[in-house]
Amino acid sequence: YSEKPDLHLKASPIHYVHKKAPPFLVIHGDKDWIVPVNQSRNFVKQLKEEGGTAEYLEVPGEGHGWSGLAGSKTTTATIN
């Protein structure tokens, strides 16, 4: 990050949050070892504070991607 902070800002979704953003459904496993779960929590929080629409679903015990019952539940949430 310290070498090219401008590239990190351009790549960060939170940098583009605004009130006219499309609605978001954010689904994140609370045991994600690749992307910290707080990134999704903060993204949704900031989007709502800016007047945007977001629904957040945190999947207990799941990491970065999942299947089985958790996959079924998140697929249903996406369709609904």
Side-chain angles (χ1 to χ4, degrees), residues 27 29 57-63 65-77:
I27 304 173
L57 176 60
E58 194 165 298
V59 185
E62 295 295 334
W66 46 85
S67 60
L69 183 57
S72 177
K73 287 181 179 180
T74 56
T75 298
T76 299

Side-chain angles (χ1 to χ4, degrees), residues 33-47:
W33 62 94
I34 297 173
V35 178
V37 70
N38 277 338
Q39 288 187 11
S40 288
R41 292 173 183 156
N42 292 337
F43 176 76
V44 169
K45 180 179 180 240
Q46 185 169 339
L47 187 61

Side-chain angles (χ1 to χ4, degrees), residues 3-64:
E3 293 176 13
K4 298 185 179 183
D6 55 323
L7 292 179
H8 285 269
L9 282 176
K10 287 181 182 179
S12 175
I14 203 163
H15 181 69
Y16 299 98
V17 166
H18 57 87
K19 67 180 176 182
K20 292 186 178 182
F24 278 84
L25 170 61
V26 179
I27 304 173
H28 204 124
D30 70 351
K31 302 292 184 211
D32 192 332
W33 62 94
I34 297 173
V35 178
V37 70
N38 277 338
Q39 288 187 11
S40 288
R41 292 173 183 156
N42 292 337
F43 176 76
V44 169
K45 180 179 180 240
Q46 185 169 339
L47 187 61
K48 289 180 175 182
E49 287 174 355
E50 293 289 330
T53 302
E55 185 175 338
Y56 180 67
L57 176 60
E58 194 165 298
V59 185
E62 295 295 334
H64 195 83

